[in-house]
Amino acid sequence: MARKNYTDDFRQRAVDLYESTPGATLKAIAADLGISRGALREWVEKLGTGATTASTSVPASGRSESQAARIVRLEAELAAAEAEKRKLETERDILRQAAKYFGRGDELVNRFQFVEDHKDAYGVKRLCEVIEIARSSFYAWLAAAPGRAARAADDAALAARIRVLQDPDQGGDRAYGAPRITADLNDGVPAAERVNHKRVARVMRENDLAGIRLRRRVKTTIPDQSGRRFPDLIGRDFSIGEPGRRYVGDITYLPIADGSNLYLATCIDLGSRKLAGWQVADHMRVGLVEDALRAAARDRGSLAGAIFHSDHGSVYTSKAYAELCERLKVTQSMGAVGSSADNSLAESVNAALKRELLEGAAAFPDQATAYRAVFRWANRYNTRRRHSAIGHVSPNAYEAAYAATASATLAEAA
């Protein structure tokens, strides 16, 4: 029940409260003080009017504003402006510090990391608002941190194993990319413990462990001027199968630091991908390719009935080479003139050799070093290097398995 008698001090304080409260209404102030709205209006009209001046601003309600109320309102607005200024300055500082996080790969993950690194200084709520991420997402990311740490440790251990497999001093091969590395890692390992090739590729990429790549190749084929032609008996069919039936060969150059070159001729078994014969010399005369074919004949015991496929280089179309093939009972085959695709497998082997031995260098230091490097690579190529075409095993291993399967088939037939 409203009081009937009010002191002058009470009335003055009521009027002051109304006039000094921004946006206040007669109804709200009267209800707070327990008086009638009419009584408060009467007091404001009598006691508040004399305190106003011509410079008093007019509030949104349309009533006049006392000087004291105006001062209070302006101080409140100033405080609000200063608070907004501090907020904006804080947000500016936050964004400046966050900028260096945003350019690192996965931007969302790095925003989470930024919040984690700066939450003690600014608080999670403010940081999430400024860089526009949901707090729930941040806390979910934070809860998954132990799992991420465990995966990172596993990836680091895998990267260390890959480095060993690529280290020549430990029997590895720096040229190995993800497919061959995966085969090495999974060799003899139970299925449940094998490593996925996609994970191997990712870890190699993240740790800069990619296999060696080759620079642009230099063409070495000297066009044939004799007019001698042989039919294409391969027809770009480079499929694997029975060893000792089909061979391909080519010549490539080996650059030396003094400006000279050595030349490598190859004889590769299509069935098993084995480098059955090869020869290095400081020339590209017919004797180079003859020596490579003879080396293959010694390795196989006989080349009788086999096909040898090459390009139309002058050494392969020479009379001397044709006579050697006849003596060894080898049938010559050649692709179309000017078509490297018809002998692409031989060129691929040459490219692999230079990529893996030069490792991006322009040349070998000297001829002796080049000889030794090719000798080691050619033997490793057959005994240890894994080939994707034959199931990521070495050519020697493939031929041994093929022979065992053939023997078992004959035994069953008998």
Side-chain angles (χ1 to χ4, degrees), residues 94-119 127-128 130-134 137-138 141-142 148 206:
I94 290 173
L95 290 173
R96 282 179 176 174
Q97 295 179 58
K100 59 186 177 182
Y101 282 74
F102 293 170
R104 309 176 188 168
D106 191 332
E107 183 176 320
L108 181 59
V109 169
N110 289 315
R111 290 188 183 209
F112 292 149
Q113 188 62 56
F114 174 75
V115 174
E116 171 63 14
D117 293 346
H118 296 81
K119 64 183 180 181
L127 290 169
C128 289
V130 173
I131 64 175
E132 299 178 345
I133 60 173
S137 298
F138 166 71
W141 175 83
L142 199 61
R148 286 196 305 277
E206 293 173 352

Side-chain angles (χ1 to χ4, degrees), residues 348-365:
S348 176
V349 172
N350 291 339
L353 179 144
K354 287 197 284 188
R355 178 181 66 245
E356 297 174 13
L357 293 184
L358 287 173
E359 300 182 2
F364 292 96

Side-chain angles (χ1 to χ4, degrees), residues 266-293:
T266 56
C267 183
I268 306 155
D269 192 317
L270 277 182
S272 64
R273 298 300 194 260
K274 182 172 183 176
L275 185 54
W278 60 274
Q279 182 62 41
V280 173
D282 60 359
H283 61 81
M284 287 196 299
R285 295 188 294 274
V286 66
L288 174 64
V289 294
E290 288 179 327
D291 287 345
L293 190 63

